[in-house]
């Protein structure tokens, strides 16, 4: 009996931060190691180019960096197929066939696309590739006949668009070639989204408010000591707020079971007064260093041989292409586009 298939990935626009780690990487490694699924993990460089077309070198360099983050976090090419999106040309051909099944109006109504267009400030200059990337995403998912796609709640409209395309294709061509995927969402809204060091709801490179898996100990220390806490907690003896205090938020996320009693005691102490921010930040630094030091060490080790990292990506891409090519062949057969067989 074949295993259910999971597809997941990231846009390589820079190194991955700890928001990516707690939001997706940890879960991917867990699913991979359970060995109950066949996992495809991809670097979505073509999707990244939809809004970075004029800076391709940034994307190219980021592919290697994200691959290092994957390996350091625990993804294993012996257990998961790790590949680069642009090396699978079959995905572009599938996208072309799917475009004919989706109206322009439907794309423009996609809530995720509307939100991202507003965030990026495209105005009237929306790149066509960006507008149609839900279709390309459907090609990614269906090419590997993924049963499950782990995504954030904000990506639900994208999964639903893929499901619509699958139903439209299978109905139009009277086939069951394409598999209708299901999203795997966080257990509650807000789960898996780590705020930035400054308290901003989003951790990102552009806001310079993130901790990266590649950060060394000194960098990590500087960032932790600059974190947003309670602006009204001026003196040590002042009562402090833990709501919106990034130090305590991060302690809740990264603290282990054995840390919970200490964290709760610190919260109570901080709220009644007498506990300074420096002490809480030093404790958080210990917690983060415990989690990130092994990842950092593995990353440095993998980085010593980038040739081997790219060799791994090449092998993964070749394997992924075989799967995508088989699906494309079935799609073209269903459409009657096999002229010479």
């Amino acid at each position: 009996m074949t295993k259910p298939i999971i597809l997941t990935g990231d846009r390589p626009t820079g190194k991955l931060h700890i928001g990516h780690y707690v939001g997706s990487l940890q879960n991917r490694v867990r699913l991979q190691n359970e060995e109950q699924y066949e996992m495809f993990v991809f670097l979505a460089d073509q999707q990244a180019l939809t809004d970075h077309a004029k800076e391709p070198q940034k994307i190219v360099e980021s592919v290697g960096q994200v691959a290092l983050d994957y390996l350091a976090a625990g993804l294993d090419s012996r257990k998961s197929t790790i590949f680069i999106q642009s090396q699978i040309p079959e995905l572009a051909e599938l996208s072309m066939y799917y475009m004919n099944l989706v109206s322009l109006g439907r794309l423009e109504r996609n809530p995720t696309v509307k939100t991202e267009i507003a965030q990026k400030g495209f105005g009237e200059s929306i790149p066509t590739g960006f507008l149609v990337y839900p279709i390309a995403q459907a090609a990614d998912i269906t090419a590997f006949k993924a049963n499950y796609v782990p995504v954030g709640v904000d990506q639900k409209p994208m999964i639903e668009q893929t499901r619509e395309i699958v139903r439209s294709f299978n109905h139009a061509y009277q086939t069951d070639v394409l598999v209708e995927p299901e999203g795997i969402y966080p257990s509650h809204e807000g789960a898996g989204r780590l705020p930035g060091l400054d308290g901003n709801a989003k951790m990102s490179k552009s806001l310079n408010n993130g901790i990266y898996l590649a950060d060394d100990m000194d960098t990590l220390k500087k960032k932790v000591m600059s974190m947003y806490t309670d602006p009204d907690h001026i003196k040590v003896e002042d009562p402090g707020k833990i709501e919106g205090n990034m130090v305590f938020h991060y302690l809740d996320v990264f603290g282990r079971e054995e840390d919970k009693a200490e964290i709760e005691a610190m919260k109570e102490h901080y709220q009644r007064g007498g506990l300074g921010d420096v002490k809480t930040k030093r404790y958080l630094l210990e917690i983060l260093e415990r989690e990130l030091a092994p990842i950092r060490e593995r990353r440095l080790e993998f980085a010593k041989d980038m040739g081997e990292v790219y060799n791994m990506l090449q092998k993964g891409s070749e394997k992924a292409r075989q799967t995508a090519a088989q699906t494309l062949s079935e799609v073209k057969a269903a459409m009657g586009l096999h002229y010479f067989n």
Side-chain angles (χ1 to χ4, degrees):
M1 187 173 179
T2 58
K3 296 179 180 179
I5 296 168
I6 288 179
L7 178 82
T8 183
D10 297 280
R11 287 161 44 101
T13 56
K15 298 173 183 176
L16 299 184
H17 52 61
I18 59 174
H20 296 116
Y21 177 65
V22 299
S24 60
L25 277 178
Q26 277 184 317
N27 194 41
R28 291 177 196 173
V29 173
R30 178 183 63 80
L31 291 169
Q32 165 197 267
N33 292 339
E34 287 176 357
E35 298 187 356
Q36 296 178 12
Y37 304 92
E38 181 176 0
M39 285 194 62
F40 289 89
V41 186
F42 73 113
L43 297 115
D45 57 337
Q46 286 182 321
Q47 185 175 327
L49 286 166
T50 61
D51 57 337
H52 292 85
K54 295 180 181 178
E55 44 183 353
Q57 194 57 35
K58 174 182 179 180
I59 308 304
V60 171
E61 292 172 357
S62 294
V63 164
Q65 294 301 314
V66 174
L68 285 175
D69 289 332
Y70 280 175
L71 295 171
L75 287 176
D76 187 337
S77 62
R78 294 167 298 182
K79 299 179 180 179
S80 298
T81 303
I82 306 172
F83 67 97
I84 303 173
Q85 184 183 38
S86 64
Q87 303 309 296
I88 319 297
E90 288 78 7
L91 300 177
E93 188 171 350
L94 283 172
S95 296
M96 178 61 69
Y97 298 140
Y98 297 168
M99 283 183 191
N100 299 320
L101 302 173
V102 183
S103 70
L104 179 60
R106 175 65 182 89
L107 288 171
E108 292 174 334
R109 290 193 302 273
N110 185 304
T112 303
V113 174
K114 287 171 68 175
T115 299
E116 292 184 358
I117 285 174
Q119 288 174 343
K120 295 179 184 298
F122 287 135
E124 296 298 316
S125 302
I126 306 169
T128 304
F130 190 87
L131 183 62
V132 303
Y133 90 77
I135 298 174
Q137 199 167 62
D140 297 332
I141 295 169
T142 58
F144 301 97
K145 299 190 176 182
N147 304 99
Y148 302 106
V149 185
V151 290
V153 175
D154 60 332
Q155 293 294 308
K156 276 188 176 181
M158 309 297 283
I159 299 299
E160 185 52 41
Q161 187 128 44
T162 295
R163 290 166 63 88
E164 287 178 12
I165 288 171
V166 168
R167 291 194 293 267
S168 294
F169 183 93
N170 286 347
H171 177 74
Y173 302 108
Q174 298 181 3
T175 183
D176 60 359
V177 164
L178 299 185
V179 174
E180 196 168 332
E182 295 181 24
I184 298 178
Y185 305 104
S187 56
H188 59 88
E189 193 162 352
R193 183 177 288 274
L194 191 68
L197 301 174
D198 54 1
N200 190 291
K202 181 181 180 183
M203 182 178 286
S204 72
K205 189 171 185 178
S206 61
L207 295 174
N208 194 31
N209 66 351
I211 293 171
Y212 291 84
L213 298 180
D215 285 346
D216 60 30
M217 175 59 178
D218 288 341
T219 302
L220 176 63
K221 182 177 180 180
K222 288 176 184 176
K223 289 182 176 181
V224 170
M225 298 311 289
S226 70
M227 287 178 74
Y228 180 84
T229 56
D230 175 6
D232 297 323
H233 186 244
I234 299 170
K235 299 177 182 178
V236 172
E237 60 267 24
D238 291 339
K241 297 177 182 176
I242 61 173
E243 295 80 11
N245 186 320
M246 291 301 99
V247 173
F248 287 104
H249 186 97
Y250 280 43
L251 283 173
D252 283 339
V253 171
F254 288 94
R256 297 177 184 172
E257 190 64 34
E258 62 267 28
D259 306 316
K260 286 186 177 180
E262 177 69 16
I263 292 170
E264 290 307 311
M266 291 186 80
K267 286 181 179 178
E268 193 275 329
H269 192 176
Y270 191 82
Q271 287 175 305
R272 74 170 185 265
L275 180 61
D277 288 326
V278 171
K279 188 169 183 179
T280 63
K281 288 177 178 179
R282 284 176 177 164
Y283 181 60
L284 174 61
L285 181 60
E286 291 177 16
I287 296 289
L288 287 175
E289 180 63 9
R290 179 184 66 191
E291 186 77 23
L292 299 177
I295 295 173
R296 183 192 307 133
E297 291 167 10
R298 287 195 297 269
R299 197 181 193 283
L300 289 171
E301 196 62 32
F302 281 116
K304 290 179 181 177
D305 191 351
M306 289 304 296
E308 184 56 33
V309 172
Y310 281 103
N311 184 48
M312 177 272 294
L313 290 172
Q314 182 177 4
K315 289 180 179 177
S317 297
E318 289 170 354
K319 180 181 176 182
R321 188 174 182 186
Q322 290 177 357
T323 301
Q326 177 60 37
T327 300
L328 176 61
S329 178
E330 293 172 13
V331 162
K332 293 174 76 171
M335 297 174 69
L337 299 181
H338 281 177
Y339 298 106
F340 309 118
N341 292 358

